[in-house]
Amino acid sequence: MRTRVLWLLLVLAVAGALVVALTGGDADDSSPAARAAAISAGVRCPTCAGQSVAESAAPAAEAVRAEIRRRVDAGQSREEIEAYLEGRYGSDILLTPPRRGVGALVWVVPLVVVATAGAGLWLALRRWSRRSLAHASEDDRSLVERAR
Amino acid sequence: MKRRRIAPWIAAGVALVLVFVVFVAATSKPAEERIAESPLVGRPAPAVAGEPVTDRSGTLAELRGKYVVVNFFATWCVPCREEHPELIRFAARGDAAVLQVVYGDRETKVRDFMEKHGGDWPVIADPTGSIALDWGVRGLPESYIVDPDGIVQAKIIGGATEAFIESVLRRLETGR
């Protein structure tokens, strides 16, 4: 019973992680400045290596930050802003893969692998525990008797 | 004992890989002109309009009906300076118009540069970088070829030669 509850909790945790991965857990309902900063943190600086536009002081990063803020103020969603930038620079402008289309696989595949591995482990443990609980047959008993 | 015999082989393998990496780095050509992918290719060109830096004014919309090379440059960019005479030769052929956008540079410097080196085409200021952002510019120099219908047909990165731009233009015109 206790084992079943634990497994149920594990399944719920994996399902919850999947939901968060696909829908995003960002708090986008904060102030426009905070929303713009959060979006900027996920956008690669177009002219520098490995930095987000939030971190970089390059003129191109400044331009992207200003454009993000302008679009946030205009009421655009994170998805709309990211789609605009992808339409200009390509999908690699985003530091995190998009949660839609092929990019969603990056989020889903690891979770599916973990879930499959967990299910496999559960089956293996179940089989091993059944083996250990196997009862001695008549032949086993007669063998033990003869040995005595 | 066995480990002692394996160690020299591992060291030799690592040394071989290092020699290969150094060889590739030393013999590879520096960055040069090439066609690059862009999400803009096949789509309507973003607007290019703003304050002219020189006496020549103009916008991309005004050049509709002919091929246009939209070139992003700065005077501090060495490949841009090397590309400049190539652009002058290309423009002299009259096969396409040239429109330059200043990227991260002072207008006075650009004006001096154009006066000294020539280039009879509109040069547009982009002080906020918004034009470059609309075009997805990642480095300098970058050129985009826009067809007479206003559709972006190619993106060239690196300092382009007259011959290279001309060859890209020919391919586009013949539909290859």
Side-chain angles (χ1 to χ4, degrees):
Chain A
M1 183 64 186
R2 198 178 155 193
T3 318
R4 280 189 184 169
V5 171
L6 284 172
W7 280 110
L8 186 67
L9 284 174
L10 181 67
V11 169
L12 285 173
V14 170
L18 264 171
V19 169
V20 170
L22 291 173
T23 59
D26 306 309
D28 272 0
D29 54 350
S30 47
S31 70
R35 283 188 60 213
I39 296 168
S40 299
V43 176
R44 193 186 302 279
C45 167
T47 56
C48 28
Q51 275 188 311
S52 73
V53 294
E55 297 163 326
S56 173
E62 272 178 41
V64 175
R65 278 201 303 270
E67 185 65 21
I68 289 171
R69 181 57 201 264
R70 195 185 66 75
R71 286 172 183 267
V72 165
D73 289 342
Q76 287 195 3
S77 69
R78 181 185 194 125
E79 285 70 28
E80 286 172 319
I81 295 167
E82 288 180 348
Y84 163 76
L85 292 169
E86 277 187 80
R88 267 38 190 176
Y89 293 97
S91 58
D92 64 331
I93 193 69
L94 302 179
L95 285 166
T96 48
R99 294 184 176 99
R100 59 185 183 280
V102 181
L105 288 174
V106 176
W107 298 88
V108 174
V109 167
L111 293 170
V112 170
V113 167
V114 168
T116 310
L121 186 65
W122 177 65
L123 283 171
L125 287 171
R126 213 174 132 192
R127 191 175 294 171
W128 293 336
S129 64
R130 273 186 186 167
R131 271 188 200 162
S132 64
L133 291 172
H135 297 288
S137 64
E138 282 304 315
D139 291 342
D140 295 334
R141 286 199 189 93
S142 60
L143 271 171
V144 172
E145 282 302 318
R146 262 183 274 156
R148 280 178 183 168
Chain B
M1 191 66 186
K2 203 173 182 181
R3 194 176 288 172
R4 271 187 198 164
R5 261 182 263 140
I6 291 171
W9 287 104
I10 294 172
V14 171
L16 207 64
V17 170
L18 278 174
V19 167
F20 178 73
V21 169
V22 170
F23 176 77
V24 169
T27 56
S28 59
K29 288 180 180 175
E32 54 187 26
E33 64 197 2
R34 65 182 171 87
I35 294 288
E37 285 184 11
S38 166
L40 285 180
V41 172
R43 292 169 55 189
V48 178
E51 284 297 310
V53 174
T54 59
D55 296 338
R56 285 289 308 272
S57 61
T59 65
L60 182 59
E62 289 168 7
L63 296 168
R64 182 67 66 90
K66 57 174 85 171
Y67 276 96
V68 183
V69 175
V70 179
N71 175 264
F72 290 84
F73 86 113
T75 60
W76 47 258
C77 151
V78 175
C80 302
R81 299 176 75 96
E82 291 170 350
E83 183 187 53
H84 198 75
E86 300 286 340
L87 278 178
I88 291 173
R89 277 194 287 275
F90 172 77
R93 297 172 78 122
D95 296 334
V98 174
L99 183 61
Q100 276 192 310
V101 181
V102 180
Y103 183 95
D105 201 355
R106 293 221 302 270
E107 287 178 34
T108 49
K109 285 200 165 187
V110 175
R111 204 172 295 122
D112 292 346
F113 178 84
M114 297 301 285
E115 275 175 17
K116 188 176 175 186
H117 298 281
D120 188 24
W121 52 69
V123 182
I124 307 295
D126 184 20
T128 61
S130 60
I131 301 175
L133 194 153
D134 263 347
W135 285 78
V137 173
R138 286 175 182 265
L140 293 181
E142 274 187 15
S143 300
Y144 294 79
I145 296 183
V146 180
D147 74 11
D149 296 324
I151 305 295
V152 179
Q153 292 294 351
K155 174 180 182 175
I156 301 169
I157 57 171
T161 60
E162 173 205 0
F164 186 75
I165 304 172
E166 193 61 34
S167 70
V168 175
L169 197 61
R170 288 278 158 269
R171 279 205 302 272
L172 292 173
E173 282 174 340
T174 54
R176 280 181 291 135

